[in-house]
Amino acid sequence: MSKLRDALQSGRFVVTAEIAPPKGVDISEMLDSAHLLRDRVTAVNVTDQQSSVMRLGSLAACHLLADNGVETVFQMTTRDRNRIALQSDLLSAYVMGIENVLCLTGDYVTLGDHPHAKPVFDLESVGLLRAAKQLERGSDMSEKPLKGAPKFFLGAVVTPGANPLEPQLFKMEKKVAAGAQFFQTQAVYEPSRFESFMQYARQFKVPVLAGIIPLKSAGMARFMNNNVAGVYVPEALIEEISKADDKYRKSLEITARLINQIRPMCDGVHVMAIGWERKVPDILDAAGL
Amino acid sequence: MYTITKQKTGQELKESLATFDSLYVIGCGTCATACHTGGKAEVMSMKTMLQEAGKTVTGWMVVPTPCDSLTRFAIEEESDRIASASAVLVMACAYGVQNVAAFTEKAVIPALDTLFFGMEGAPGQFSEVCLQCGECVLASTGGICPITSCPKGLVNGPCGGTKEGKCEVDASRDCAWTLIYNRLKKQGRLDLMRKIQSPKDFQKMTHPRRASVIA
Ligand code: SF4
Ligand code: SF4
């Protein structure tokens, strides 16, 4: 049974975090981070070859984390596997006790470290959600019966700061219709913009966890503004962090403030620490979570 | 529409021609002429280049359309000069190369890489607009093809990587789904974007495809 589903249904403000499997087989750091997070978050997302960079697989990492008492969200992109492999991995996940699956299309292949690889994209996020739903109904995408049907708690992503926003909202609506039961968003830095997104998103009646990326420096903010789609760090925040003497304290302060500003608007936060996994407890302490 | 080609690098050509000391060169009067990759001018400079590299050029011709069936007769007419060459170097797209290969016993070497079928926008500027997927979706996408113009071939709307209307894969290119959205919005047909589309049927693209159009 998914603890994440229970927590979201209970109406509690839920916290999830994110871990990237290592590039290689030394899993010690990943397990250390997981232990630090275990008692502080409801579930830990495990990324799937994030940014198209080849790494240890998400499914294996989820399994290892589960062995260590950590509930996971298995992130699955459609970039590297066709529908046969995707459905098979969904079944594999279920038999290993992994129910939370975040269905993504994934970044394009040329953005990663194997730009010569064949991009698959046989399905996309919406198709993957539908495939998982179909498996739950006891048959595969070709209507062939399954010996035992899995049960998932399916998630999807949305970018509240996208420009134009309307096509993203249409896609969000499709994801809900296709079976998404919760959303985790791209990083939020503008509570007012997020609020108007939530006013629209509320109609779908699915829980939304706002994406939180701790701002480490002005350089990082500028990098995201220039390179990351749908993320906009306001100039005032950039100035605030660049003027601070103790950047770490300031970062915690800004992150905690953001979390508390958006707390009344949504169902939880999804903290993507990107290298700061071990500092997530500090962030949550600062935010009073 | 043209088949867009690009000349292979000198190094690659040198390697594929290493074992041949005499060549017959065939150019293309249509697409490769338009692309400046296999027209008369390029055939002439190839001839010079080969001779400078110590090869013998036994003859050359620019076939009007090397990809059609008439090419057989052009090859027959030149059979003596082709026979005295150790290989035929074809400066046409891969259709031309394979067609030539079907009509001669000689080793056939492509001088070009075939890139895509291009539609001409501004003069001399070509872009790929169709991947021949076998189940055209243009009716619901405002006449803009997401299978081709979106690198991920998404059928249900934009990915999260679209930034201010540009594509995550190449910021100099428009996001296909933003273009589709703008077009459908203008037409008052945005409802089309809210309908879930089934995954593509890739069986329709199983290679090699064949068609018989005899009545
Ligand atoms: S959907 Fe695109 S790729 Fe398929 S036939 Fe139409 S234009 Fe070509
Ligand atoms: S940015 Fe637009 S065109 Fe580029 S991959 Fe995403 S949806 Fe496709």
Side-chain angles (χ1 to χ4, degrees), chain B residues 129-138 141 144-148 200 205:
Chain B
V129 298
C130 172
L131 289 176
Q132 298 84 43
C133 75
E135 45 175 22
C136 197
V137 303
L138 290 176
T141 57
I144 296 160
C145 174
I147 311 306
T148 312
K200 294 294 285 180
M205 294 178 85

Coordinates of all heavy atoms in Angstrom, one line a residue, chain B residues 129-138 141 144-148 200 205, ligand 1:
Chain B
V129 N 9.6 18.4 -43.0 CA 8.3 18.6 -42.5 C 7.4 17.4 -42.4 O 6.3 17.4 -41.8 CB 7.5 19.7 -43.3 CG1 8.2 21.1 -43.2 CG2 7.3 19.3 -44.7
C130 N 7.9 16.3 -42.9 CA 7.1 15.0 -42.8 C 8.1 13.8 -42.8 O 9.1 13.8 -43.5 CB 6.3 14.9 -44.1 SG 5.4 13.3 -44.3
L131 N 7.7 12.9 -41.9 CA 8.5 11.6 -41.8 C 7.8 10.4 -42.4 O 8.2 9.3 -42.1 CB 8.8 11.4 -40.3 CG 9.8 12.3 -39.6 CD1 9.9 11.9 -38.1 CD2 11.2 12.2 -40.2
Q132 N 6.8 10.7 -43.2 CA 6.1 9.6 -43.8 C 5.6 8.6 -42.8 O 6.0 7.4 -42.9 CB 6.9 9.0 -44.9 CG 7.2 9.9 -46.1 CD 8.5 10.7 -45.8 OE1 9.5 10.2 -45.3 NE2 8.5 12.0 -46.1
C133 N 4.9 9.0 -41.8 CA 4.5 8.1 -40.7 C 3.4 7.1 -41.0 O 3.2 6.2 -40.3 CB 4.2 8.9 -39.4 SG 2.6 9.6 -39.5
G134 N 2.7 7.4 -42.1 CA 1.7 6.4 -42.5 C 0.3 6.6 -41.9 O -0.6 5.9 -42.2
E135 N 0.2 7.6 -41.0 CA -1.1 7.9 -40.4 C -1.1 9.4 -40.1 O -0.9 9.8 -39.0 CB -1.5 7.1 -39.2 CG -0.4 6.9 -38.2 CD -0.8 6.1 -36.9 OE1 -1.8 5.4 -37.0 OE2 -0.1 6.3 -35.9
C136 N -1.4 10.2 -41.1 CA -1.2 11.7 -41.0 C -2.2 12.3 -39.9 O -3.4 12.1 -40.0 CB -1.4 12.3 -42.3 SG -0.8 14.0 -42.4
V137 N -1.6 13.1 -39.0 CA -2.4 13.7 -38.0 C -2.6 15.2 -38.2 O -3.1 15.9 -37.4 CB -1.7 13.6 -36.6 CG1 -1.5 12.1 -36.3 CG2 -0.4 14.3 -36.5
L138 N -2.2 15.7 -39.4 CA -2.2 17.1 -39.7 C -3.6 17.7 -39.5 O -3.8 18.9 -39.2 CB -1.7 17.5 -41.1 CG -0.2 17.2 -41.3 CD1 0.2 17.5 -42.7 CD2 0.6 18.1 -40.4
T141 N -3.8 19.1 -36.0 CA -2.7 19.9 -35.5 C -2.4 21.1 -36.3 O -1.3 21.7 -36.3 CB -1.4 19.0 -35.5 OG1 -1.1 18.6 -36.8 CG2 -1.5 17.8 -34.6
I144 N 0.5 21.5 -38.9 CA 1.9 21.5 -38.5 C 2.1 20.1 -38.0 O 1.4 19.6 -37.2 CB 2.2 22.6 -37.5 CG1 1.9 24.0 -38.0 CG2 3.6 22.4 -36.9 CD1 1.7 25.0 -37.0
C145 N 3.2 19.5 -38.4 CA 3.4 18.1 -38.1 C 4.2 17.9 -36.8 O 5.4 18.2 -36.8 CB 4.1 17.3 -39.2 SG 4.5 15.6 -38.6
P146 N 3.6 17.4 -35.7 CA 4.4 17.3 -34.4 C 5.3 16.0 -34.5 O 6.3 16.0 -33.8 CB 3.3 17.1 -33.4 CG 2.1 16.5 -34.1 CD 2.2 17.0 -35.5
I147 N 5.0 15.1 -35.4 CA 5.8 13.9 -35.5 C 7.2 14.3 -36.0 O 8.2 13.8 -35.6 CB 5.2 12.9 -36.5 CG1 3.7 12.6 -36.1 CG2 5.9 11.6 -36.5 CD1 3.4 12.2 -34.7
T148 N 7.2 15.3 -36.9 CA 8.5 15.7 -37.5 C 9.1 16.9 -36.8 O 10.2 17.0 -36.5 CB 8.2 16.1 -39.0 OG1 7.5 15.0 -39.6 CG2 9.5 16.3 -39.7
K200 N 1.3 6.4 -31.5 CA 1.5 6.2 -32.9 C 1.5 4.7 -33.2 O 2.0 3.9 -32.3 CB 2.8 6.7 -33.5 CG 2.9 8.3 -33.5 CD 1.9 8.9 -34.4 CE 2.3 8.8 -35.9 NZ 1.3 9.5 -36.7
M205 N 5.2 2.1 -40.0 CA 6.5 2.5 -40.5 C 7.5 1.4 -40.6 O 8.7 1.7 -40.6 CB 7.0 3.6 -39.5 CG 6.2 4.9 -39.6 SD 6.8 6.1 -38.4 CE 8.1 6.9 -39.4
Ligands
SF4_1 S1 1.7 13.2 -39.4 FE1 3.5 14.2 -40.0 S2 4.9 12.5 -40.5 FE2 2.9 11.6 -40.5 S3 2.3 11.7 -42.6 FE3 1.5 13.6 -41.6 S4 3.1 15.1 -42.0 FE4 4.0 13.2 -42.4

